[in-house]
Every structure is written in structure tokens, then in C-alpha cells.
Amino acid sequence: MEIKVAQVVNHNQVKKDQAVQLEDGRIQNIRNLYPFETPEFPNMIPGFIDIHTHGRMGFSTMDIENYEKLSKSYLISGTTAFVASLLTAPIEEIEKI
């Protein structure tokens, strides 16, 4: 699969008019668009990482049964990874997680 993008943003630069080649959901190659190719999307940026969270959208990091729903709720806003921080709770509750 190839996605034609007007701007690709990585950790230290912005590249204009790029084709991003994906295989199995991973970037395999990025190449310059040819002059006759038109970008399909305006921007591509890496996923965000939330380095401290107790939950969101009604889902708590203390509720192991809803971790999949919690994880999917982050994807809506472009967050692809998070560090789950525990709440102050009795040790018995924390040990369940």
C-alpha cells in the first residue's frame, strides 16, 4: 500500500510531497512523489505517546477489564502508546492489575 502525502513529519524534519509505502501496517519506504503525482492527504505525522495517564473518556487505568476500550479511545486522537499510571488505592487493588 502506498499513501501520497503533501507533508511527512518525522522527529527532526518535514518532507514535502512524499509517497509512504506500507506493508503489514509498518512503513517500509518513503520516496519523493514524481511531478505528475498528486498528494492524497495533507499531512502524516508519527503517533503521540502519553507518558502519564490515569485514564480517559470514563476508562480508568485501574480497571483492567476495560484496557482494550481505553487503548482504542487513545487512537481517536492520534495517541498510539501510553504509560498507565496507577491511582492511589489500597495495595490489594493495585496488585489485581
Side-chain angles (χ1 to χ4, degrees), residues 47-67:
F48 299 109
I49 300 172
D50 187 333
I51 62 170
H52 183 101
T53 183
H54 296 284
R56 64 178 265 146
M57 297 179 68
F59 303 112
S60 169
T61 58
M62 296 290 288
D63 184 5
I64 192 71
E65 294 174 8
N66 284 314
Y67 255 65

Side-chain angles (χ1 to χ4, degrees), residues 15-46:
K15 291 186 170 190
K16 295 189 180 291
D17 298 325
Q18 300 292 300
V20 180
Q21 297 167 344
L22 303 168
E23 187 175 311
D24 296 323
R26 299 180 85 83
I27 295 174
Q28 298 300 314
N29 189 37
I30 299 175
R31 68 169 178 82
N32 293 324
L33 288 180
Y34 296 112
F36 58 85
E37 293 180 297
T38 303
E40 301 164 323
F41 298 95
N43 298 300
M44 181 178 279
I45 60 173

